[in-house]
Amino acid sequence: MKKQKLEAVETIKTASNYLRGGIADGLDNNVTGSLAEDDTQLTKFHGIYQQHDRESVVTRRKQKLEPLYSFMIRARVPAGICTPEQWLAMDDLAVQYGGGSIRLTTRQAFQLHGVIKKNLKTTIASINQSLLDTIAACGDVNRNVMCTPNPHQSEVHQQAYQAAAAISSHLTPQTTAYHEIWLDKEKVAGTPDIEPIYGETYLPRKFKIAMAIPPANDVDVFAHDLGFIAVVEKHQLIGFNVTVGGGMGATHGDLETFPLLAQVIGFCAVDQVTQVAEQVVKIQRDYGCRTNRKHARFKYTIDDRGIDWFKQELNKRLGWSLLAEKPFEFKSTGDEFGWSENYDGTWNLCLFIQNGRVIDSDSLALRSALKQVAHLDYGDFRITANQNLIIGQLTADEKAVVIDTLTPFGVLENNRQSLAQLNGMACVALPTCSLAMAEAERYLPTLLNKIENLQIKHGIQDRAIITRMTGCPNGCARPYMAELGFVGKGPGKYNMYLGGEFTGTRLNRMYLENIDEDTILIELDALFADYASNALDGEWFGDFVIRQGHIDAVTHGSQVHLPLAVV
Ligand code: SRM
Ligand code: SF4
């Protein structure tokens, strides 16, 4: 058989001397605001994406100027938990270098946008000073490990959080390149870089891990390469069901690419999770496709070779076998807004952050309000996987002060948005994302207002419908898990998906392709009329559209992009 050509990124990784490449020299080059193309592949492993302002490209070209380059920086925050001090550090950097905006991501991390090249090193160094870092926030490695973001809800939550943090640090790349380039640390002579888990070419593609604690599936565990579902008996965490092979990314018109739901493959004890994670990652390192990046995610490795092959390979490498999976039940994917009490008597406040954007606008000085709370130095700050924020672990006295601090800003009022808004999630998309084909973050709130009006018209405004939008099919807001999904196809045009499951256990399916807002609203008007008249008691919208025959449930991710009529 003819040997297939490796992807260009593979050669870049091999030649990079453990992720150094020419990044350091590129930072010193004042002639351009960009880095060399090969190096922009490597900076991803350091948590940095080169971007440019897509809206000024044509004007600048006419002025014979290069695109307005800047960088997106993603800080790794295992389970989304940080201190008020770390929040203040991110706030400070956002104001100084990031256009006054912090973006909370769908994977519980921070992003800063618009950082120009000359400010990159200072920004990364400051993030490190705050004891956060950006290592492996992007790139072909394991990314930020997600976990239900409330370690104080119960002792089980605390243990699960510790397991997630342990996996995160165990799978962090070992190269000292990051420290040399960004923190000016000298490499100790005679100490070669060793990547015991990844090797010098790292993984074929990005790798993502999430840990869910039923009944909450707020991390969307089945959308991940590797997942752990906590199993609790008699209030004790006894271990985790292990899931493998989930992922969202796809390409329009390429039916070889599709989202897949992870499968449960067995059960492991709490002290075995790190070992399981390491071996799963190593299997993907050795068997993942390195000749076609569109086929390189772990989900395809499993889909191609079969789950039985994978289980055998994993058990062989572990030297022991996973036990049979234990029963579990999820009841939701969203966040519960407002106040909740922890097992130790402290309090949490979950705040709705529309699409994760923390910024001061004319209507809401959100960034300033949160900064004031962080200055109080109470408890902790926790980013949820739905782009919201929990201010956690407050005593009763501190709770009262937080209420007094946030009230004048109207931040608590902001929590009282419609169910449509509270259950919506959009990716960044335009203007920063180079892959966006349509708006998402900037448009979803407007569309949701119109959807809410339709819900009111049909008397179903008290029904939560998980609605997600992305500007392209890569799936950054996990739109294929939504009851109602919109995926950008072109300016103002979206593919519409129906039939995901409220608790995140079923993929949806394309209902209509390339439609504009008018068509979306006409279709939803009819669907909502039917839902209002014919839904069973408590029946979720995603289940209803399937039972009522508006869409067929998918049995394999490859069907997601096939509208009903084609099947
Ligand atoms: Fe994503 C690429 C933003 C979560 C699947 N994602 C990108 C880039 C970096 C665009 C690029 O490659 O140039 C986006 C930067 C936009 C910007 O301007 O900030 C981007 N992804 C995001 C974030 C910020 C969306 C958000 O609104 O929160 C999320 C950051 C998460 C984090 O903190 O690490 C984000 N991305 C996701 C998720 C959701 C998840 O992981 O739970 C997915 C789907 C799950 C998955 O990976 O299968 C996701 N992003 C992708 C893909 C498709 C990967 C694939 O398998 O094909 C790309 C494109 C790529 O990798 O080539 C991508
Ligand atoms: Fe960009 Fe597409 Fe991800 Fe949205 S889904 S942030 S448009 S890559």
Side-chain angles (χ1 to χ4, degrees), residues 51 105-106 111 113 206 208 248 297 432 476 478:
Q51 301 185 318
T105 76
T106 53
Q111 275 188 192
H113 288 100
K206 57 177 78 168
K208 299 180 173 179
M248 296 281 100
R297 288 297 293 271
T432 52
C476 297
R478 302 184 287 273

Side-chain angles (χ1 to χ4, degrees), residues 433-476:
C433 181
S434 58
L435 307 175
M437 298 167 180
E439 296 281 354
E441 178 185 330
R442 297 194 296 195
Y443 168 56
L444 183 64
T446 311
L447 180 66
L448 286 175
N449 278 339
K450 296 179 183 178
I451 290 178
E452 182 198 347
N453 287 339
L454 286 177
Q455 285 189 275
I456 293 169
K457 175 177 163 189
H458 295 290
I460 53 164
Q461 67 274 24
D462 59 342
R463 308 304 300 267
I465 300 175
I466 305 289
T467 306
R468 296 178 181 171
M469 172 177 278
T470 55
C472 85
N474 282 317
C476 297

Side-chain angles (χ1 to χ4, degrees), residues 44 49-51 72 74-75 103-111 113 137 143-144 146 205-206 208 219 223-225 246-250 293 297 299 355 387 426-429 432-435 441 474-478:
K44 293 181 186 176
Y49 273 82
Q50 180 169 300
Q51 301 185 318
M72 177 269 274
R74 194 179 284 162
R103 183 58 153 69
L104 310 182
T105 76
T106 53
R107 295 191 62 74
Q108 303 181 289
F110 288 114
Q111 275 188 192
H113 288 100
R143 307 281 187 93
N144 200 33
M146 307 224 294
R205 205 65 164 85
K206 57 177 78 168
K208 299 180 173 179
V219 294
H224 288 75
D225 296 279
M248 296 281 100
R293 275 181 84 72
R297 288 297 293 271
K299 62 181 177 182
N355 299 326
Q387 305 168 322
C427 73
V428 179
T432 52
C433 181
S434 58
L435 307 175
E441 178 185 330
N474 282 317
C476 297
R478 302 184 287 273

Side-chain angles (χ1 to χ4, degrees), residues 205-223:
R205 205 65 164 85
K206 57 177 78 168
F207 194 89
K208 299 180 173 179
I209 302 178
M211 194 165 264
I213 308 171
N217 186 18
D218 48 359
V219 294
D220 256 328
V221 71
F222 296 107

Side-chain angles (χ1 to χ4, degrees), residues 126-334:
S126 304
I127 291 173
N128 275 266
Q129 262 162 25
S130 77
L131 301 184
L132 287 173
D133 65 50
T134 65
I135 302 173
C138 324
D140 297 342
V141 283
N142 175 57
R143 307 281 187 93
N144 200 33
V145 178
M146 307 224 294
C147 185
T148 306
N150 187 359
H152 305 283
Q153 195 171 326
S154 71
E155 285 179 45
V156 166
H157 285 74
Q158 181 63 251
Q159 287 170 297
Y161 166 65
Q162 280 161 359
I167 295 173
S168 173
S169 71
H170 188 68
L171 297 181
T172 303
Q174 300 296 302
T175 171
T176 54
Y178 182 88
H179 303 85
E180 288 157 38
I181 296 171
W182 307 106
L183 308 176
D184 289 332
K185 297 256 163 72
E186 291 282 324
K187 181 156 177 58
V188 181
T191 50
D193 283 295
I194 299 170
E195 289 286 11
I197 295 177
Y198 297 113
E200 69 169 359
T201 46
Y202 294 84
L203 296 181
R205 205 65 164 85
K206 57 177 78 168
F207 194 89
K208 299 180 173 179
I209 302 178
M211 194 165 264
I213 308 171
N217 186 18
D218 48 359
V219 294
D220 256 328
V221 71
F222 296 107
H224 288 75
D225 296 279
L226 171 61
F228 294 98
I229 301 172
V231 179
V232 180
E233 274 177 20
K234 295 190 185 135
H235 307 293
Q236 295 296 317
L237 178 67
I238 59 158
F240 295 89
N241 283 322
V242 180
T243 67
V244 292
M248 296 281 100
T251 305
H252 283 315
D254 179 353
L255 293 178
E256 299 290 306
T257 66
F258 39 79
L260 277 173
L261 212 57
Q263 305 174 57
V264 184
I265 55 163
F267 170 88
C268 73
V270 180
D271 60 3
Q272 293 170 327
V273 283
T274 309
Q275 196 190 351
V276 170
E278 175 177 331
Q279 294 309 331
V280 172
V281 164
K282 283 179 168 169
I283 294 175
Q284 166 64 354
R285 177 197 66 193
D286 297 343
Y287 288 97
C289 173
R290 292 183 189 261
T291 53
N292 175 6
R293 275 181 84 72
K294 285 194 175 170
H295 197 70
R297 288 297 293 271
F298 181 47
K299 62 181 177 182
Y300 298 119
T301 312
I302 296 208
D303 200 48
D304 291 348
R305 292 172 179 265
I307 200 74
D308 290 335
W309 165 83
F310 178 75
K311 283 199 242 181
Q312 258 183 21
E313 183 66 25
L314 178 62
N315 290 340
K316 188 173 85 193
R317 290 188 185 216
L318 287 169
W320 48 272
S321 297
L322 293 179
L323 298 176
E325 70 175 268
K326 311 260 185 210
F328 62 95
E329 189 190 5
F330 287 124
K331 293 198 172 151
S332 62
T333 49

